[in-house]
Amino acid sequence: MLTRWTRPNKAIVAVIFAAGVLPAAAQGPQTTPFADDPHLSITPRTVDESARIAAAVAPTRDFTRAEPFEVNPGGKATVRRRTNADAFSQPSGGMGFDRELDFKVGNGLFRKIWVSAPSSTVGSDGLGPLYNARGCQNCHIKDGRGHPPEGPEDTAVSMFLRISVPSDPGAEATEITEFLSTAPDPVYGGQLQDFATPGQKAEYRLGITYEDVPVALSGGEIVTLRAPTYTAEDLRYGPLHPDAMLSPRVAPQMIGLGLLEAIPAADILALADPEDADGDGISGRANIVWSHEFDRPMLGRFGLKAGAPTVREQSAAAFAGDIGISNPLFPDDFGECTAEQVACRAAPGGGDAAHGGFEIDAEGLDLVTFYSRNLAVPERPDAGAAEVLHGKKVFYDSGCTSCHTPKFVTHRLSDQPEQSFQLVWPYTDMLLHDMGEGLADHRPEARATGHEWRTPPLWGIGLTAQVSGVETYLHDGRARTLLEAILWHGGEAEPARQRVIAMPPADRAALIAFLESL
C-alpha cells in the first residue's frame, strides 16, 4: 500500500496529452513536466538523478530515528522554528538580498488595506464594490489559517461561501475528460460577499449552526464533533437560484506554496489510481482545470479542491473574488458584480493608466506571487523524539500515507533557487479523494465531485494555534483539534479513521504528537 507512488497512471497522463497540454511527441521516459507551469525554467532530470530521487522518496521502514534531512521539511528553504505568531511569515531560507527585497515588497502588497475608488491614494483604491476582505492578510491571518466566526461579535472575514449552479454538460472545458459543468449563480456570481463599499449593498450574512456529534474511542474517551449547517442570510439581491450549491471556505495556510508548485506534475500523476487498480481502497484523482493564464487545461494544485493550477493564478483569483481588485488575469474592475447587479457594476473603479488600467498590475501581481511562493516552512527540531517517532509509525501503519504522501523532490529550476531540486516533506499527494458524506459539500469544481477534496499538506500544522490564535482545521474550520479533524475523515479514509478509534490511547496520543511536530 505504501508503494503506490512507483506506478504511473497512464490513463490520467493520457487525459493531459489529449487535452493538448503537451504534444504526443513529448511523451517519453525522461519527460517530466506534463502540466507544469510553462513559466518554470525546468532542467530535465537525468537517469541517474531519477534513480537517486526514487531512493530518497521511498517510504521509510525504520521508525527508530529521524530520516536524513527530515528536520528540514522545506529543504534548504527551511527556516528556524519560531515561537511567536511570525512562524509562517519568514522568507525562504538562504534567499539573497535582492530577492529578499522583492519578498518584502510583496509582503507589503499582501498586507495592504485597499480602499474604495476614487481615492487620493491612487495606488490603493479599487476595493470591491463587493468584497470579503480589504486585504490578503485579513483572511490568511499571519499567513496561516483563517477561522469561522465564533459568536455574534466575530465577523466572518476569513470565511465565505462559494456558490454555483448546474450548467449543461459539456458547456465549458469540453477538452477536459470528466469535467463537471457548473456556472456562477446568475445574480450572486461565484462567491458570496458579505461587505460592500459605500453606496452598495453587501450580498448576504453568513449563518452557521452546529449540532454535536459524539464519537466513542477506545479507552472510554468521548470526542464531541460539531456538524455545521450553513445558510446565506439577509440576501440583499433576491433569492438564490433554486439549484444553487453552496460550499464553505476557510482561508488555508500559505507556507510552502512555491515548493508544492515545483513538484513535477508527472510525480503527482503517478500517484493517481482512480479505479483503485491496486485494491487498497484509495482512489486518488487528479483535478484537471482550465488555466485563465495559459488558456489550456492544466493540473490543479491549489485551493481546497485543487481548482487553481499555479500560485499566480490562485493569487489573481483571490484579488478579484475576495477583494474586488482587477488584475491582468481577471480584468473586471467591478470584481464579482454580476449583470443583474447594475448599480454595483456602475460603481467607480480604481484602474490606473499607469498600471495598465488595472487596480493591481502585472508587476504587483508578480511580487505578491513571489511572496506567496517563498513563505518558508519551519524546521522540525523534534523529528527524532521518541514519542514523535512512535506517532510516525502509527501514522504509517494506519494508512495515512496513502493520501498524505510524505516526500517529493522538486524540479531543478534555473531561476528559482529556493525551490530548485529540494527534498521536501509536505505530506500530501495533491490529489482529490472522496472524503465521505460527513465532509461533502455537494458542489463540483472542475473534475472534483461534491464528495472530493484535495489532500491538504500537513507541514506546519502543529503551529496553527500559535500563528492564527485559534485551532480550526478542515475546509470549513469545523474541527477544533487535530483529533477532531481525523475523526471527520470518511469515504476512502474511513478504514484509517476506524483504526484511530480502536487503537490504544497511548498510540493516539503519539499520533497527535507526531502531527504537532510537523
Side-chain angles (χ1 to χ4, degrees), residues 90-107:
Q90 308 306 313
S92 296
M95 181 179 286
F97 177 79
D98 289 345
R99 292 172 71 81
E100 187 170 346
L101 180 60
D102 286 342
F103 178 89
K104 290 179 178 177
V105 176
N107 183 21

Side-chain angles (χ1 to χ4, degrees), residues 71 81 379-386 388-389 517:
V71 296
R81 194 179 184 97
E379 65 182 346
R380 292 186 58 213
D382 297 329
V388 169
L389 290 170
S517 78

Side-chain angles (χ1 to χ4, degrees), residues 40 103 125 141 166 295 301 342 428 471 498 500:
L40 298 178
F103 178 89
D125 69 358
I141 302 165
D295 196 30
R301 298 176 187 248
V342 177
T428 175
E471 279 192 274
Q498 291 300 327
V500 172

